[in-house]
Amino acid sequence: MSVATKLAQFGKKHIARGIGRSTELVISKAKGTYVYTVEGKKYLDLSTGIGVTNTGHSHPTVVKAVQEQAANLVHGQVNIFFQKPMLDLIQGLLPRMPSPKLDTFFFWNSGSEAVEAAVKIARHATKKQNIIVFQGSYHGRTFGTMALTTSKTIYSAGFSPLMPGVHVAPYPYFQQWAAHKADPKKFDADWCGEEALQQLELCLKQRSDPQDTAAILIEPIQGEGGYVVPPKNFLAGLRKICDKHNILLICDEVQSGFGRTGKMFAVEHFDVVPDILVMAKGIASGYPISAVVSRKEIMDKQPPGSMGGTYSGNAISCAAANATLKVFDDEDLLKNCNVRSEQFFKGLKSKLPGLLPEGVTCDIRGKGLMIGIEFMGVPYGFASSVASEALKNDTILLTTSIYETLRLIPPLNITEEETDLALERVTASVAAAVENLKKA
């Protein structure tokens, strides 16, 4: 029995079964776009830890900053001190916000915690309870965020009763709307966007009166729901509805933020400014930190002592986040993201359709390097089959959503040559999965 097999078996025995895992690889090192197993095998990583290591694994600038910070201050508890790495981080983040009005921050550890903090802030500031979320949304797996997540039942099944006061409205995932499937030209993306807005208005009339609704919470581009980009009119209409009814708009940019879509935050594609913005994942290149930002008049309604946490805004994580911002500037990551995005989309759209059998289509969608590939007309498990074939091709490729969807989440500094290699391996994996279909 190999060392890797022994370690994997040990892990399965002693790590909670509730953690799902897409591979049984045991890794010991990662650098740039690659991860390495304990036996030295090298894998092209198109997952970046689910959109976390946006600067690539172990970026030298981030590593150096962490090493230096660890030698000076590891833990400056937020309820006791101001600590310089956090203050530096705020200075670095302020000019990158979608609006200068978003000027007051609260730091926590994970995306789920930050979402819960945003809900806490919204409820307290408005003195209202209800939160409206959207079908297919993912906001976390903690107790509060389970109630807000609707992408899959696995995240909350068997854990009821969940947090009350949550209502669900349709999301304009037009690719799966019956009307769009029946007549794509008549019932196009914009029509679906307007219809979703009308359904939201119905929700406010039938289930959650505006006077009881604290906030509407949305991912500007859905993540676990399928990497679904809404029509532009939807976000703009959502902002108008919130303004009309005095409801706060919370944008969850945990997965779509920090350059993932080719802009610092995905809301910038839609010319919309939220009242509260949530960020995590890519903020610190793999170190645990999340943040909530809002207008000062909203955040100042919180009484001192009502917010905080033992590790909130940890000094080392803040140092990693500061170094991450430096990499964004020094290497012009947003530019590279957009250039590589064009390369990915051009390659996928030219190669994938010709590999698919009659009756099977694929929708290649996304922004920047947040790329979804949904296969239609295939049996259940096809996307997982592609991911399994990718693993045989020494490539980490993830699925997402309840539909047959793949997601490509490479680092934002992936090179032209690595992108060519990724395209080669992804298309080869799809071709192999198609052959498996023919044999079944």
Side-chain angles (χ1 to χ4, degrees):
M1 186 182 297
S2 69
V3 172
T5 301
K6 286 181 180 179
L7 287 170
Q9 288 185 353
F10 178 84
K12 284 190 282 186
K13 182 177 180 180
H14 295 286
I15 294 175
R17 182 171 174 266
I19 295 176
R21 193 171 292 103
S22 58
T23 81
E24 292 192 4
L25 298 179
V26 181
I27 64 170
S28 59
K29 175 185 172 183
K31 188 73 175 174
T33 315
Y34 294 91
V35 296
Y36 299 81
T37 69
V38 290
E39 296 175 329
K41 192 169 183 181
K42 177 180 175 182
Y43 287 81
L44 181 68
D45 183 15
L46 300 182
S47 75
T48 54
I50 314 183
V52 173
T53 54
N54 285 3
T55 58
H57 292 287
S58 303
H59 192 288
T61 299
V62 178
V63 170
K64 181 181 178 183
V66 167
Q67 290 171 334
E68 291 177 353
Q69 186 59 48
N72 288 292
L73 174 67
V74 171
H75 179 59
Q77 211 284 326
V78 69
N79 296 105
I80 302 175
F81 306 107
F82 290 111
Q83 41 112 330
K84 193 169 184 302
M86 181 187 290
L87 300 176
D88 289 343
L89 178 56
I90 292 170
Q91 284 189 319
L93 288 173
L94 280 170
R96 302 170 200 265
M97 291 299 104
S99 166
K101 293 179 180 179
L102 299 174
D103 62 359
T104 306
F105 293 81
F106 171 69
F107 295 97
W108 223 337
N109 311 297
S110 68
S112 298
E113 290 170 294
V115 169
E116 289 194 3
V119 169
K120 184 176 176 179
I121 291 164
R123 282 181 165 179
H124 189 273
T126 63
K127 307 304 180 188
K128 299 188 283 186
Q129 175 180 333
N130 291 351
I131 306 294
I132 296 176
V133 296
F134 293 90
Q135 190 171 353
S137 64
Y138 179 87
H139 300 292
R141 279 174 273 204
T142 55
F143 192 79
T145 56
M146 277 195 300
L148 305 167
T149 291
T150 64
S151 57
K152 292 178 183 177
T153 56
I154 188 63
Y155 300 129
S156 58
F159 296 103
S160 293
L162 303 178
M163 182 180 73
V166 178
H167 299 271
V168 182
Y171 186 87
Y173 186 173
F174 60 89
Q175 295 91 336
Q176 289 293 342
W177 278 32
H180 178 77
K181 289 180 179 180
D183 191 339
K185 290 184 178 180
K186 181 178 180 181
F187 304 109
D188 62 7
D190 287 339
W191 180 90
C192 292
E194 290 298 332
E195 179 64 17
L197 291 170
Q198 290 181 31
Q199 292 297 318
L200 175 59
E201 290 279 22
L202 279 179
C203 179
L204 291 167
K205 292 176 181 178
Q206 294 179 326
R207 300 197 299 281
S208 183
D209 191 282
Q211 69 179 354
D212 296 321
T213 306
I216 294 175
L217 170 63
I218 188 169
E219 299 166 278
I221 298 176
Q222 283 196 339
E224 301 291 324
Y227 278 34
V228 185
V229 182
K232 192 167 185 176
N233 64 341
F234 181 67
L235 267 294
L238 194 57
R239 178 71 272 179
K240 289 179 182 177
I241 288 173
C242 287
D243 291 341
K244 173 183 172 184
H245 295 296
N246 194 28
I247 297 168
L248 296 180
L249 177 61
I250 304 174
C251 282
D252 178 348
E253 293 249 22
V254 169
Q255 190 159 172
S256 60
F258 274 81
R260 176 53 53 189
T261 67
K263 293 183 180 291
M264 203 63 187
F265 295 98
V267 288
E268 297 174 66
H269 291 284
F270 305 98
D271 300 320
V272 166
V273 177
D275 299 294
I276 302 174
L277 181 68
V278 180
M279 63 194 90
K281 286 189 182 288
I283 186 172
S285 299
Y287 289 83
I289 187 172
S290 58
V292 181
V293 62
S294 185
R295 301 191 302 275
K296 186 168 178 59
E297 67 264 24
I298 292 175
M299 299 291 263
D300 278 0
K301 292 184 178 182
Q302 308 295 305
S306 64
M307 305 295 283
T310 300
Y311 299 110
S312 298
N314 173 265
I316 290 179
S317 292
C318 286
N322 288 322
T324 297
L325 294 179
K326 186 176 188 306
V327 174
F328 265 84
D329 294 339
D330 290 351
E331 300 183 15
D332 203 352
L333 287 195
L334 292 181
K335 179 180 179 181
N336 190 71
C337 176
N338 287 304
V339 172
R340 298 286 77 81
S341 176
E342 289 182 18
Q343 186 181 352
F344 264 110
F345 276 100
K346 182 179 179 181
L348 291 169
K349 289 182 176 181
S350 65
K351 295 175 181 179
L352 286 191
L355 298 175
L356 304 177
E358 186 177 352
V360 174
T361 59
C362 65
D363 180 44
I364 302 166
R365 58 182 180 241
K367 294 280 188 184
L369 291 174
M370 186 174 183
I371 302 170
I373 307 169
E374 181 177 355
F375 298 95
M376 299 167 182
V378 294
Y380 174 78
F382 180 77
S384 293
S385 176
V386 176
S388 295
E389 293 296 335
L391 195 61
K392 295 175 187 176
N393 286 325
D394 300 339
T395 301
I396 310 298
L397 182 61
L398 301 181
T399 62
T400 190
S401 93
I402 61 168
Y403 300 107
E404 297 303 312
T405 308
L406 300 169
R407 51 178 161 172
L408 278 62
I409 333 170
L412 306 187
N413 54 0
I414 188 172
T415 66
E416 181 179 0
E417 294 75 21
E418 289 167 339
T419 302
D420 282 337
L421 179 62
L423 287 166
E424 177 186 318
R425 292 187 180 181
V426 170
T427 53
S429 301
V430 172
V434 169
E435 287 302 311
N436 293 340
L437 269 186
K438 295 176 181 177
K439 295 173 185 176

